Each structure stands twice: as C-alpha cells, then as structure tokens.
C-alpha cells in the first residue's frame, strides 16, 4: 500500500455469542484512528447484539467508517482489487467457519473472507463454540491451511482481569497485534511476579 492509501480493516459480526468482541473492536479501532473500518453484520449478528448488549443495528454501524450490506456480494469487499490489511470475524459462528473452510461465498462476510484468503491477506476468526466436534476441527484445519488464524477468545486470567471488558480487551489486543496495529488496550506480560 502507498502512504496515501488508507489502511483498511474489514470487521464482520456474525450470530455467534460474543457480539461484544466485534462491537468493542470497532470502538477500539475508532479510538486509535488512522484506520478505515469496513463493517459487515449478518442478520443473526444484529439479533445477537440486541440480545447480549441491547444494541440496535444503527448503534453498531455508527462505530464503523463504511458499512456494507451482508447481501451485497457486488460490494467492493467482494473483489481482490479492494485493498485491505485483512479481516476479523468477531465473533465467528461455526456456520461462517464452515463456509470459509469450503469456499462457500454465499454472502458478503464469507465472500470477503474468501477474497482475503485468495489474496493472501490475514483473516482472523474469533470462533465462539464449545465443545468442538470433528466437523468444527476439520473446518479449523482447512482455514488454517489457507493461512487463516483461528482465534477463540479465551480469557487470560494471569493478568487478573477485574471485568468482562478487561477480558475482552485482552483478546482484542492480541488480535490487533496480529495486524501490527499498535495498541495499549491491555497490559503486556512482563513475567512472573510482575504487577502489570
């Protein structure tokens, strides 16, 4: 990318539990500045954000720079000519994981992921499912072999989080690190016995 070209990150929110990850990621990226966010939310993602966070579609969309309709597979994100740093699916349902693993680009979320895979851009899937069955594990293997990063947002207790938000931010800080996006939203490990 040239210096004049905006740094872009695609953020997708699916219907898996954990809408807070996508919403808080958008908020943190907005706070950081210097990065253009492109949002795609599935219908189930909207329902889940309302159930879990009391948010409406507009509340989520206001956090992004550009919003795309999940049904618009003719959107710029559907083309390899749309340059981006890659994509984060937060949270990622197993249905979306399976579609990504098999190249089933049947909506803009899975098409944008497919484009990122073919263009060798980073795709991070914050998978929210447990326990896992063999189909899930095989889909995770396929995505990993294509260069994707399967990133279940597992809480880290060694930092002694005091709130759900701190646990979420710890995972998001690690996701941002995967894209080399500077952040200080969670303390970094300083070794055993440290107070940070």
């Amino acid at each position: 990318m040239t210096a004049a070209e905006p740094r872009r990150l695609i953020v997708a929110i699916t219907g898996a539990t954990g809408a807070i990850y996508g919403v808080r990621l958008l908020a943190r990226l907005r706070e950081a500045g210097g990065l253009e966010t492109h949002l795609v939310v599935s219908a189930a993602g909207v329902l889940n954000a309302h159930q879990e966070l009391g948010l409406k579609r507009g509340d989520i969309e206001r956090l992004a720079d550009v919003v795309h309709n999940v049904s618009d597979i003719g959107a710029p994100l559907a083309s390899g000519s749309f340059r981006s740093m890659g994509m984060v699916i937060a949270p990622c349902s197993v249905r979306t994981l399976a579609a990504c693993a098999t190249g089933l680009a049947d909506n803009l979320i899975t098409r944008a992921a497919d484009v990122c895979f073919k263009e060798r851009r980073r795709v991070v899937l914050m998978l929210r499912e447990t326990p896992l069955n063999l189909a899930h594990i095989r889909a995770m293997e396929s995505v990993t072999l294509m260069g994707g990063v399967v990133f279940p947002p597992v809480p880290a207790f060694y930092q002694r989080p005091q709130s759900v938000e701190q646990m979420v931010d710890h995972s998001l800080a690690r996701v941002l690190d995967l894209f080399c996006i500077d952040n200080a939203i969670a303390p970094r490990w300083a070794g055993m016995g440290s107070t940070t």
Side-chain angles (χ1 to χ4, degrees):
M1 284 190 208
T2 65
E5 202 171 324
R7 294 185 340 137
R8 298 177 176 135
L9 186 66
I10 302 164
V11 176
I13 298 175
T14 72
T17 187
I20 192 171
Y21 290 103
V23 170
R24 229 168 142 77
L25 176 62
L26 288 167
R28 290 304 199 171
L29 289 169
R30 179 158 293 245
E31 289 168 10
L35 192 111
E36 185 180 280
T37 54
H38 287 255
L39 172 66
V40 189
V41 185
S42 71
V46 172
L47 288 173
N48 213 37
H50 182 70
Q51 172 67 30
E52 295 179 355
L53 304 171
L55 297 177
K56 295 181 180 171
R57 179 183 290 276
D59 299 323
I60 303 166
E61 291 178 347
R62 276 190 284 281
L63 296 170
D65 294 306
V66 182
V67 177
H68 303 275
N69 187 303
V70 71
S71 300
D72 184 8
I73 57 171
L77 312 182
S79 171
S81 66
F82 178 83
R83 297 184 71 176
S84 73
M85 299 168 70
M87 181 173 188
V88 180
I89 305 176
C92 181
S93 65
V94 290
R95 184 249 177 250
T96 301
L97 167 70
C100 289
T102 58
L104 180 61
D106 61 340
N107 63 40
L108 188 56
I109 292 173
T110 53
R111 174 58 187 164
D114 191 58
V115 166
C116 287
F117 285 131
K118 79 182 183 69
E119 299 295 330
R120 307 300 190 260
R121 297 179 186 138
R122 176 146 286 170
V123 179
V124 176
L125 298 92
M126 296 188 80
L127 183 66
R128 290 289 299 120
E129 189 62 69
T130 193
L132 300 169
N133 68 32
L134 185 57
H136 304 153
I137 292 166
R138 286 183 173 157
M140 288 189 290
E141 178 189 34
S142 293
V143 164
T144 302
L145 290 172
M146 289 189 286
V149 178
V150 178
F151 191 112
V154 178
F157 295 105
Y158 57 85
Q159 297 284 18
R160 297 185 182 180
Q162 301 300 303
S163 67
V164 170
E165 290 77 12
Q166 285 180 351
M167 287 189 285
V168 169
D169 281 350
H170 184 269
S171 290
L172 294 179
R174 301 212 32 233
V175 168
L176 295 177
D177 284 348
L178 290 171
F179 290 93
C180 299
I181 297 171
D182 288 337
N183 72 89
I185 63 174
R188 295 192 180 273
W189 180 244
M192 293 297 285
S194 67
T195 58
T196 58

